[in-house]
Amino acid sequence: MSKFTKEDYLKLIHDIAKYDEYYYQHHKPLISDFTYDQLLKQVEDLEKQHPEWIAASSPTQDVRERPTKGFVQVAHEVPMLSLANSYSYEEIEDFIKRVHKLLGRSASFCAELKMDGIAVSLRYEKGLFVRGLTRGDGKEGDDITRNIMTIKGVPSKLHGEHIPAILEVRGEVYMPKEVFMQLNLAKEEAGEDVWANPRNAAAGSLKLLDPEEVRKRHLEIMVYGIAQQETFLTTQSEVHVQLQKWGFPTLSSEYRTECIDADELLTFAQKIESKRATLPFEIDGMVIKVNCLKDWDLLGTTAKSPRWAIAYKFSALQATTVIEDITVQVGRTGVLTPVAELKPVFLAGSTISRASLHNEEEIQRKDIRIGDHVIIEKGGDVIPKVVNVDFSQRPSHLIVWKMPTRCPICETLVVKKEGEVAVRCPNVKCLAQSQRRFIFFASKQAMDIDHLGEKVMLKLIEHGLVKDFSDIYRLTAEQLATLEGFQEKSIQNLLSSIEASKQVILPKFILALGIAHVGIGTAELIAECVKGVEDLQHLTVDRLLQIEGIGDKVAHSFVEYFQNQSHIHEIEELIKLG
């Protein structure tokens, strides 16, 4: 470490501050958690060697999350500290030795799965929920009470026995993987920046100023601790049981256990990690806590972290491969999405050969080129993404990649509207757009037509049986029988599903139309202010802007859609068909 100067130290602090800004404020991590922790350790080591260097802006001097504009900051009655991280058996052993040394005796530990979400504190008075706060800087956090109330798992009133007059519990708000994938797909199709992972999606959602928008993000919560301990509880293991009795969502017994040494802790960690890819939520490790609650007071805390707990972080699910090509997909709204065609590599239970690069700006930011060796990761253990480039292996001849100036399908000149990251094909008759529109129309989030998946839809389009949405509702058993692979049962299943989809609710029908910038949340808002489908074409920009939650871009896009007579004609046909 002696080679580092004070200037190097200050640059490290500056870099970490930048990473913090993108992580906490923009919800776009620039580096992995592991790399971040390594930089943090460098700062800590330098400050031990040179205490005279310690700057007020050092990440060792505070918890990094910052207050958010639009929210009131409220002090935590009990500081909300962050956990120190560990990555190896040796570091777990060191933690246990420190605990035993400070206590002057041995101790048992409660190990529990570590959700990768947003830490929150919930306050109850006489059994009623009164306030929810983010961690913030550990001393005070954002008051997100109204947003917390939209999460179904949060009880508004506690039930059971031993309910204290004042209770403050700690938990983790998260976005389920399935919800994350659906919302990210909608963002990508709308040409918007996508979230890096479910944690960042949950963070961005909790900081929305409109609780109704938060409700549409379908967040969930897992409660794991009590900030102010009750005398009748003696261990962390008992805390989980009591929280469940009061009505909180808590970790089931298979995701927590009691251990006495590093071997048992690591065995449990390996068991949890083996289930990681199959869990409905994202995890990033386990939390190890001294089990006896009275020992927490004896052990105390540092400025940032409790001495009675530590996080054991799993390694990211990553692999190294080569980008063999970058192709461009055209979505249902005309958005061009670059896709990395990868040398196939096995990662977290499946072989990965493709990864979305989202948009041209993302490629430029990471400086991704065809032929690069890259590290890929399963975001949320589900969606493959390119984390970064291994520049040490880059051949000198690789050229900067640029978005094509013409649509790769119909060769129409592409356009990019001011203020948008998306590049679009403006040709609404582009074959790729038509195919994606039809596939989306029948999808679960839209008309929800069972047995009409992508392969079946493409076959119907290829044989000229579907040219408009209404053609789906004109399909006959005789037509389907002419197609290869359709038997009597599959034909009947498809026709029954098509008939059942006629009962779809209005918001899903509006979404199915594929209007640019109109997601399910916006569709629900619009559906609330009309009596039926026939009224949609009469909505004006001014009327739409009166609806709370709808902005100028959405309003103009919606009205433009209904200025197209072919769209109006198609909706009229769908109404005639029931």
Side-chain angles (χ1 to χ4, degrees), residues 154-276:
V154 175
S156 57
K157 182 179 181 180
L158 304 182
H159 53 78
E161 300 177 342
H162 306 298
I163 298 173
I166 294 176
L167 175 70
E168 190 174 325
V169 298
R170 300 281 160 84
E172 201 89 356
V173 172
Y174 65 95
M175 181 178 285
K177 291 178 183 176
E178 184 64 30
V179 174
F180 168 74
M181 287 191 292
Q182 290 177 0
L183 292 178
N184 244 6
L185 180 63
K187 285 171 75 70
E188 191 161 81
E189 287 179 337
E192 300 172 3
D193 280 340
V194 294
W195 290 302
N197 51 52
R199 185 211 175 276
N200 294 103
S205 301
L206 271 184
K207 298 300 180 71
L208 292 171
L209 296 176
D210 182 359
E212 286 309 307
E213 285 300 307
V214 180
R215 192 187 304 278
K216 293 164 190 170
R217 302 289 175 85
H218 304 291
L219 299 174
E220 297 187 20
I221 191 170
M222 195 74 75
V223 177
Y224 52 74
I226 300 175
Q228 294 172 313
Q229 306 298 345
E230 294 299 310
T231 53
F232 67 92
L233 296 173
T234 61
T235 67
Q236 173 63 13
S237 298
E238 291 175 3
V239 167
H240 286 285
V241 176
Q242 185 60 51
L243 287 169
Q244 192 172 37
K245 288 179 180 178
W246 282 330
F248 292 105
T250 61
L251 293 171
S252 62
S253 57
E254 66 179 311
Y255 298 136
R256 51 185 169 81
T257 190
E258 290 184 33
C259 302
I260 59 170
D261 58 31
D263 288 332
E264 288 187 2
L265 288 166
L266 202 63
T267 298
F268 177 71
Q270 289 166 347
K271 173 188 168 185
I272 292 296
E273 192 164 16
S274 69
K275 298 181 180 181
R276 185 178 183 183

Side-chain angles (χ1 to χ4, degrees), residues 39-60:
L39 294 177
L40 201 58
K41 191 173 186 308
Q42 270 192 333
V43 170
E44 290 169 351
D45 289 344
L46 283 168
E47 289 179 348
K48 284 177 184 176
Q49 285 201 351
H50 302 280
E52 72 278 7
W53 287 1
I54 298 177
S57 57
S58 169
T60 64

Side-chain angles (χ1 to χ4, degrees), residues 110-114 224 236 240 251 255-256 286-287 289:
C110 179
E112 50 200 56
L113 171 153
K114 184 178 183 297
Y224 52 74
Q236 173 63 13
H240 286 285
L251 293 171
Y255 298 136
R256 51 185 169 81
M286 71 172 182
V287 177
K289 300 175 182 175

Side-chain angles (χ1 to χ4, degrees), residues 305-366:
S305 308
R307 292 192 179 96
W308 42 262
I310 194 170
Y312 174 71
K313 302 290 284 288
F314 297 152
S315 58
L317 297 177
Q318 294 183 334
T320 302
T321 186
V322 176
I323 294 184
E324 297 183 326
D325 196 7
I326 298 178
T327 56
V328 176
Q329 290 182 338
V330 183
R332 62 186 174 90
T333 60
V335 173
L336 272 60
T337 302
V339 177
E341 305 293 342
L342 307 167
K343 183 177 181 180
V345 61
F346 190 78
L347 175 62
S350 61
T351 300
I352 308 300
S353 58
R354 310 183 87 213
S356 173
L357 297 174
H358 305 306
N359 53 60
E360 188 175 20
E361 288 183 10
E362 176 81 353
I363 294 175
Q364 290 172 349
R365 184 172 69 82
K366 293 179 177 177

